[in-house]
Amino acid sequence: MKTVLITGGASGIGLATARRLARTMRVVIVDRDGARANEAARALNAEGASAFAYAADVTKSDEVAAMMAQAARDAGPIHAIFCNAGVSIKQPVHKMSEADWDIMIKTHVKGVFLCAKAVLPQMCERRDGVIVSTGSDYSVCGKADGAAYAAAKTAIYSLTKSLALEFAPYGIRCNSVGPGPIETPMLLAGRTEEEWAPLRAARAERVPMGRLGRPEEVAAVVDFLISDRSSYITGQIIHPNGAQISW
Ligand code: NAI
């Protein structure tokens, strides 16, 4: 059984992906929220899966390196990694603090860099591996009041393309999934269902398919990108987005 490691795996898209992949793979759930990561792994194991959980902050190189080494010891060689941890801080540029800007860039861009750097030596040695990162529709278009988010997601896409070129000779594939609006705790941003219901309808109207996406619909794309069904796809971004953007 191959092993997949998922960052931001305790919630939303990462958790849905962990659930889906746990049917066929050993799953390592990594999140800065260690309690929720543990809870997710426990629930999967109760259903017969082979899941592990680690607390780590993807912006911290020492935590990422230690977690990666421990995960490989516990769960075996890492065949695939889904670099998915993310946060959303939205502000107009002239009101955004430097500290918030740094959090956005560090979590998304440095987070993918550190995780890729930590896992690549073992992938290169085995000449086998898949890296999938979570971009966004905003990897390829701008976002008013979301410049840091869009800049970070564009950088993730760029990093993914460079990784694909650099590691293709080792048989390692690197792709991005670029979701449109997906109903997760990030999109709800702490709102109650009552507060969210009218916003959901307004947000859905802006999507040509007329609805928001489900985390499971992103997980299906990640599953495809990790599997051999996408064996000749690398350096690409695939958008499960209800046609919110097409380019
Ligand atoms: P979520 O908030 O449900 O899950 C994000 C997870 O990442 C949380 O469990 C959080 O604890 C973890 N995390 C955050 N910072 C971390 C860090 N420094 N180290 C380790 N873990 C950390 O959000 P969602 O929606 O599932 O987001 C997953 C990814 O999908 C993010 O990269 C997000 O930017 C991206 N995305 C989400 C969309 C949406 O509409 N929900 C659309 C496009 C992209």
Side-chain angles (χ1 to χ4, degrees):
M1 193 184 251
K2 289 179 173 173
T3 299
V4 59
L5 186 149
I6 300 171
T7 72
S11 177
I13 291 167
L15 181 57
T17 305
R19 283 199 191 110
R20 181 178 176 113
L21 294 179
R23 296 177 205 155
T24 52
M25 300 180 82
R26 195 172 291 127
V27 172
V28 176
I29 296 172
V30 177
D31 207 285
R32 66 177 173 185
D33 187 336
R36 287 175 66 201
N38 277 328
E39 195 184 308
R42 242 194 328 269
L44 289 176
N45 287 330
E47 290 165 16
S50 176
F52 298 78
Y54 304 95
D57 181 335
V58 297
T59 68
K60 299 193 172 139
S61 54
D62 52 346
E63 288 190 22
V64 171
M67 170 279 292
M68 200 66 75
Q70 190 61 45
R73 278 195 292 274
D74 294 344
I78 312 291
H79 167 69
I81 177 167
F82 179 32
C83 301
N84 164 76
V87 287
S88 174
I89 304 171
K90 291 186 189 123
Q91 283 285 332
V93 167
H94 62 297
K95 293 189 178 157
M96 184 150 204
S97 70
E98 190 178 340
D100 282 348
W101 176 273
D102 287 345
I103 288 172
M104 293 303 290
I105 301 300
K106 265 170 80 173
T107 305
H108 294 273
V109 191
K110 189 176 176 189
V112 175
F113 161 68
L114 288 178
C115 289
K117 183 178 157 73
V119 79
L120 275 163
Q122 52 166 300
M123 288 184 171
C124 287
E125 199 180 313
R126 293 194 314 274
R127 303 186 80 81
D128 165 72
V130 183
I131 298 176
V132 178
S133 57
T134 306
S136 161
D137 274 357
Y138 302 116
S139 292
V140 294
C141 64
K143 178 161 176 50
D145 297 340
Y149 188 80
K153 291 301 191 184
T154 303
I156 286 180
Y157 181 29
S158 175
L159 178 55
T160 296
K161 287 188 281 191
S162 298
L163 286 168
L165 292 171
E166 212 165 300
F167 294 96
Y170 293 87
I172 297 166
R173 296 186 301 107
C174 307
N175 291 293
S176 257
V177 63
I182 308 297
E183 228 167 326
T184 67
M186 179 183 282
L187 203 66
L188 267 71
R191 297 181 192 94
T192 62
E193 175 57 32
E194 205 177 21
E195 294 163 336
W196 174 239
L199 295 174
R200 176 194 286 124
R203 188 68 191 80
E205 261 179 35
R206 307 213 301 267
V207 179
M209 281 184 74
R211 66 172 177 84
L212 303 179
R214 297 185 299 275
E216 292 75 17
E217 292 175 309
V218 182
V221 176
V222 179
D223 184 357
F224 168 69
L225 288 173
I226 284 175
S227 76
D228 286 344
R229 285 170 286 142
S230 60
S231 55
Y232 200 49
I233 298 178
T234 192
Q236 309 300 318
I237 186 165
I238 297 183
H239 295 281
N241 67 2
Q244 173 171 258
I245 61 145
S246 43
W247 69 294

